[in-house]
Each structure stands twice: as structure tokens, then as C-alpha cells.
Amino acid sequence: MKLFDFFHKKVSNAELNVVANADVYNTFDYTPFSWWLDSVLEKSLPNETVAINFNLYEDGKSHWSLEFVATSSFDKENDDWACDELFTTRDNPFKWQEDCDFNRALHFVEEIIRRYLAEGKYKDELIRYSAIGVGFVDGDILLVYEK
């Protein structure tokens, strides 16, 4: 299934061509990320959602993926809160290719999420939760927002 199947908004032909031709983006960029995240947030998250985490995966050969996770708990002192999953995009992650190390990839993702929280379509929806984190699935979580 192609990424454009998840977009339910009207887009220009140029935008549609970019999305339709990209199962994996050539770089981590705000515009396709925001389209992907908008498509996730257009749907209602479970009422029990307390916090949001973005799991970052190094897929090998300079390929990366990011999944959105809605969780039922948040504990600043214990990163296991991110394991209390209510909803994930595990079957439809955001994927891109970038020749960089894991620290740089994490930095890219952190900056783009911060930008979305400042100007994204569903920024107000996101900041109503207790926290928003990002990190490698087997590593520490970096909080990009906390109430």
C-alpha cells in the first residue's frame, strides 16, 4: 500500500505526485512528514490516550522509519510508559533515506516534531496530551513536549 492512500485531504497535482511516488522519501523533510502526521491525527485517537511517542528505527543501509504511538500512561522517570500502547502506525510508518548516524537522525526527527508542534495542522490536538517523546525503540526517550 502506498503512502498516498492515507491522505484524505485535497492536494495539488505536484503534491500528489511527490506522495504517490514515495514509499521511502529521499530525505527527512517537513512537508511529507506533516502530510503523514496529519493523516494519522485526522482519525480520533483512543479517549484513554495520555501521551504520544514517536519510535525511531534504523532499518539499515541509510534507511529509517518512524512510527506514531498513542499511550495510556506517562512517567517522566520511567521510559516504559511508551510501551503502554493504545494505537500505533506500526503498519504504516513514515520512511526515509538519509546517510547519517543515529544521533543525526534523532536530531532531524526532534526538530521536525518541534516544528509541527509550532505550526502543524493538528498542533493543538497534540499538546493536549501530557507529553510527546521521540527515541529509538530500544533507547532513551527524548521529551520534545511536556505539560
Side-chain angles (χ1 to χ4, degrees), residues 87-100:
F87 169 84
T88 76
T89 61
R90 192 160 292 131
D91 293 335
N92 303 300
F94 183 80
K95 297 179 180 183
W96 76 100
Q97 182 177 353
E98 192 83 43
D99 186 19
C100 64

Side-chain angles (χ1 to χ4, degrees), residues 96-145:
W96 76 100
Q97 182 177 353
E98 192 83 43
D99 186 19
C100 64
D101 67 12
F102 69 93
N103 285 321
R104 187 75 177 133
L106 180 60
H107 177 73
F108 288 148
V109 173
E110 174 193 3
E111 291 302 312
I112 295 291
I113 292 170
R114 288 187 192 281
R115 181 173 171 190
Y116 191 93
L117 292 174
E119 63 187 68
K121 181 177 180 179
Y122 294 102
K123 65 183 179 185
D124 294 332
E125 171 73 17
L126 283 176
I127 62 171
R128 72 184 186 116
Y129 299 110
S130 296
I132 300 169
V134 61
F136 286 90
V137 74
D138 57 353
D140 295 334
I141 295 174
L142 171 67
L143 293 180
V144 294
Y145 171 81

Side-chain angles (χ1 to χ4, degrees), residues 2 15 26 29 51 61 76-77 84 95 105 109 118 122 124 129 133-134:
K2 294 232 183 251
E15 291 173 327
N26 288 329
D29 185 58
K61 296 184 180 179
K76 186 175 183 173
E77 304 302 317
D84 297 333
K95 297 179 180 183
V109 173
Y122 294 102
D124 294 332
Y129 299 110
V134 61

Side-chain angles (χ1 to χ4, degrees), residues 1-145:
M1 186 174 268
K2 294 232 183 251
L3 197 60
F4 72 91
D5 293 336
F6 296 65
F7 298 109
H8 301 289
K9 68 176 188 171
K10 298 266 185 203
V11 295
S12 70
N13 285 339
E15 291 173 327
L16 187 57
N17 285 336
V18 168
V19 174
N21 293 321
D23 286 326
V24 177
Y25 291 93
N26 288 329
T27 188
F28 193 76
D29 185 58
Y30 179 77
T31 300
F33 170 78
S34 67
W35 291 338
W36 173 79
L37 188 54
D38 287 350
S39 74
V40 171
L41 295 172
E42 284 174 352
K43 302 166 186 73
S44 294
L45 296 178
N47 291 333
E48 304 83 14
T49 301
V50 172
I52 303 297
N53 193 52
F54 290 87
N55 287 332
L56 180 56
Y57 295 90
E58 184 175 8
D59 297 332
K61 296 184 180 179
S62 300
H63 284 76
W64 306 88
S65 59
L66 188 68
E67 76 180 342
F68 176 96
V69 180
T71 68
S72 63
S73 69
F74 170 68
D75 182 347
K76 186 175 183 173
E77 304 302 317
N78 184 350
D79 287 347
D80 286 346
W81 64 267
C83 298
D84 297 333
E85 298 176 350
L86 294 170
F87 169 84
T88 76
T89 61
R90 192 160 292 131
D91 293 335
N92 303 300
F94 183 80
K95 297 179 180 183
W96 76 100
Q97 182 177 353
E98 192 83 43
D99 186 19
C100 64
D101 67 12
F102 69 93
N103 285 321
R104 187 75 177 133
L106 180 60
H107 177 73
F108 288 148
V109 173
E110 174 193 3
E111 291 302 312
I112 295 291
I113 292 170
R114 288 187 192 281
R115 181 173 171 190
Y116 191 93
L117 292 174
E119 63 187 68
K121 181 177 180 179
Y122 294 102
K123 65 183 179 185
D124 294 332
E125 171 73 17
L126 283 176
I127 62 171
R128 72 184 186 116
Y129 299 110
S130 296
I132 300 169
V134 61
F136 286 90
V137 74
D138 57 353
D140 295 334
I141 295 174
L142 171 67
L143 293 180
V144 294
Y145 171 81

